[in-house]
Amino acid sequence: MRYIKVLLFFTILTVSCTLFAQKTKVIPNRGMASPFTTIKNRAWWKEAIVYQIYPRSFKDSNGDGIGDLNGIISKLDYIKSLGVNVIWLNPIFSSPNDDNGYDISNYRDIMKDFGTMADFDKLLKGLHQRNIKLVLDMVLNHSSDEHEWFKQSRSSRTNPYRDYYHWWPAEKGKPNPRYSFFDVNSDAWKYDQTTNAYYLHYFSQKQPDLNWENPKLRNEIYDMMKFWLDKGIDGLRMDAFQYVSKDTTWQKYPEGYEKNIIKYYGMGPNLHTYLREMNHSVIDKYLVMTVAEGAGSTLADAHALVDEDRKELNMAYHFEVMDIGNDPKGYSLPDLKKVFTKWDGSFANKGWLAIFLANHDVPRMVSKYGDDSPAFRAASSKLLTTLIMTMRGTPFYFNGDELGMSNIKFDRIEDYRDIATLNAYQHVLAKGEDLKAFMDKQKFISRDNTRTPFQWDASKNAGFTTGEPWIKVNPNYKEVNAQREETDPNSVLSYFKKVVALRKSSPALIYGSYKVYDVEHPQVYCYLRSEGKEKMLVILNFSNQNVSYAIDRGINTHLSKLLLSNYKTAKIRDHKIALLPWQSVVYQIN
Ligand code: NOJ
């Protein structure tokens, strides 16, 4: 009897612990001798390394020049070899591709260019077999104008779907101005003749904003999320989510409001209500991660989105780092350090962030924050990878950066595909502004710079497609490609794998505190990550010069062990280190 009671007790205990772990999405410490056993509040998504795949440009399997799901499937072993454990796919749903999939016409189907639902199921299975999780991109602020909801909505003022979108009756005159990111005239109100009304589109005219005030719309979205979560996906990236709750009184904003777009356009009064509702109706029931694109306009906004006790989102990514480095003449390293340090400090005890230096909306990280000239492209790519992988927060790493891929820098507008660049060009043209200056700037900032085909090998089209690629391949592919780098122990790719392995094994790099040194130093970024007895000192030379750097005397470098360097030599002598151009080093400190 006693035996049965004990058994029952342990069974109940195990079941409740498992349920608790699932609910709170923590990783239970199983008492094994692991360096992580003392960490509190562990979560799989905090320990994840997210690898972002831009499906259109990753690998084409059928020769139509467009990357697809079968292409990704054919590269699963490559992805596994990187050591990353989560994949984020940009939208793969049906879309007329006005904004490369961020204009969804059917949320429950796969874009024809990318394949079929059977391909998707195969991809998910292949990832899970390799212990890699999958995050899908949920575009919920807007749909395509070719979505059935919008077709219905625009058909008459009394249609049941009318309130799925934001309309303004034209007999009331023109609504107060709203800024659009992708409109030639920056005008977010588009007149629609069928019902003599304007609809709202923060992005392109083909991306009408969904009306989240409407509970019917919200429920449809929650059902759609369940559809994908029931298939077994592991996470959701919420595109432009801060904009779903907006001021719908359409009041007049003060002059210059578009300079603080998030404050006026997003983070509306109901955002947190919707997030809690979404959690309650959908997310809580699954062991998945959620990440929001955008983190509001203040630190407080960001905390309100991701603090664990609020049960809204797991993490968000902010754009303050992205705002630095947009000037081709260069940027100030102290500014970059201050941004990272400010955000880390604010999230040291509560909340969690995503860390990134590039994605499909910005240029290549090496061209923006490093030096993409032949002499320093590899070294500076490795350094930037080190930065991403040694910061607190979940790394989001963009495909191709592990090879050191760089901006393509198109000379001709005909080569661009991105609606943002094409519409801005039309605008410049119409206003008679300086076209040359515009084109020069695009070489540096256009989103197409990160969207060029993945460089697999030195064969035609870098092995991306046997057909005509939808966007040109970067001509440097003969030198910068996966096949070549896989066999070179000193390549950017080989270094990437080492940093990834180091991060995954180190509680200090994932969870540890962060202390920065010499914030005003113009060339060197030096910080210490510590967790318990484990201390990791990271020193990064952000310049193409040799630098002799004096390490803070408070750091005990006496028995330090070099764990990683992007050059063969690295030596600390009497608290000084001689750094080579773009050198990055990670030391274990005793
Ligand atoms: C953010 C996405 O990352 C970007 O690519 C897209 O154009 C806009 N949201 C609109 O969905």
Side-chain angles (χ1 to χ4, degrees), residues 99 102 139 142 182 203 207 237 239 293 360-361 447 451:
D99 182 21
Y102 283 92
V139 188
H142 44 269
F182 298 157
F203 295 89
Q207 292 168 296
R237 179 236 185 212
D239 181 72
E293 186 206 22
H360 63 292
D361 286 335
R447 309 196 294 181
R451 297 177 177 188

Side-chain angles (χ1 to χ4, degrees), residues 106-117:
N106 185 346
Y107 287 88
R108 292 173 189 243
D109 208 355
I110 302 294
M111 187 194 299
K112 289 214 167 38
D113 290 341
F114 289 174
T116 63
M117 195 59 91

Side-chain angles (χ1 to χ4, degrees), residues 125-197:
K125 194 163 164 214
L127 285 168
H128 284 170
Q129 276 166 347
R130 290 166 180 80
N131 281 326
I132 300 172
K133 295 183 188 292
L134 178 64
V135 169
L136 287 187
D137 210 325
M138 294 278 135
V139 188
L140 306 174
N141 174 66
H142 44 269
S143 72
S144 161
D145 65 340
E146 296 183 32
H147 193 292
E148 188 55 31
W149 296 338
F150 191 73
K151 290 187 192 160
Q152 294 285 335
S153 184
R154 85 186 328 173
S155 66
S156 91
R157 288 191 182 188
T158 53
N159 187 284
Y161 288 90
R162 185 68 171 180
D163 287 343
Y164 274 43
Y165 296 87
H166 298 285
W167 291 97
W168 177 272
E171 63 273 16
K172 282 167 73 181
K174 233 203 133 177
N176 282 319
R178 290 295 182 264
Y179 176 84
S180 162
F181 298 104
F182 298 157
D183 189 80
V184 182
N185 300 315
S186 310
D187 183 356
W189 290 110
K190 165 90 179 144
Y191 178 71
D192 197 49
Q193 215 172 9
T194 324
T195 57
N196 186 36

Side-chain angles (χ1 to χ4, degrees), residues 176-179 251-261 263-265:
N176 282 319
R178 290 295 182 264
Y179 176 84
Q251 58 177 304
K252 194 168 179 350
Y253 290 151
E255 192 98 336
Y257 72 90
E258 66 275 12
K259 295 203 180 75
N260 196 347
I261 215 107
K263 177 170 163 214
Y264 288 99
Y265 277 47

Side-chain angles (χ1 to χ4, degrees), residues 46-92:
K46 291 182 182 169
E47 294 175 21
I49 296 178
V50 182
Y51 181 69
Q52 180 190 350
I53 292 184
Y54 197 67
R56 208 173 178 75
S57 301
F58 196 61
K59 174 72 187 163
D60 173 24
S61 72
N62 60 1
D64 66 358
I66 298 172
D68 48 42
L69 300 187
N70 276 321
I72 302 174
I73 293 170
S74 72
K75 295 296 180 186
L76 284 177
D77 290 337
Y78 170 81
I79 297 165
K80 177 74 188 163
S81 78
L82 298 176
V84 300
N85 38 27
V86 178
I87 298 302
W88 152 29
L89 292 183
N90 292 94
I92 52 166

Side-chain angles (χ1 to χ4, degrees), residues 35-42 348 352 392 505-515 528-537 588-589:
F36 288 91
T37 34
T38 54
I39 308 286
K40 295 194 191 82
N41 290 331
R42 285 182 70 190
W352 195 257
R392 179 159 43 189
S505 68
S506 164
L509 291 182
I510 299 171
Y511 292 104
S513 64
Y514 157 96
K515 183 170 182 204
L528 188 68
R529 303 286 320 277
S530 320
E531 177 60 43
K533 287 198 180 124
E534 193 194 20
K535 291 188 171 29
M536 298 286 204
L537 180 68
Q588 189 166 12
I589 300 294

Side-chain angles (χ1 to χ4, degrees), residues 469-521:
W470 72 277
I471 188 168
K472 280 189 176 157
V473 175
N474 193 314
N476 69 7
Y477 72 93
K478 292 219 162 113
E479 191 202 336
V480 182
N481 67 65
Q483 191 182 52
R484 184 170 172 186
E485 296 193 30
E486 272 177 327
T487 53
D488 173 2
N490 296 320
S491 66
V492 180
L493 178 59
S494 298
Y495 183 85
F496 173 80
K497 292 179 188 174
K498 283 185 216 151
V499 197
V500 165
L502 178 63
R503 180 176 179 95
K504 288 202 298 194
S505 68
S506 164
L509 291 182
I510 299 171
Y511 292 104
S513 64
Y514 157 96
K515 183 170 182 204
V516 65
Y517 295 87
D518 305 310
V519 181
E520 298 298 342
H521 196 295

Side-chain angles (χ1 to χ4, degrees), residues 573-587:
R573 258 198 212 108
D574 190 27
H575 271 84
K576 276 221 169 101
I577 182 164
L579 294 165
L580 294 163
W582 293 101
Q583 183 158 18
S584 59
V585 289
V586 180
Y587 282 95

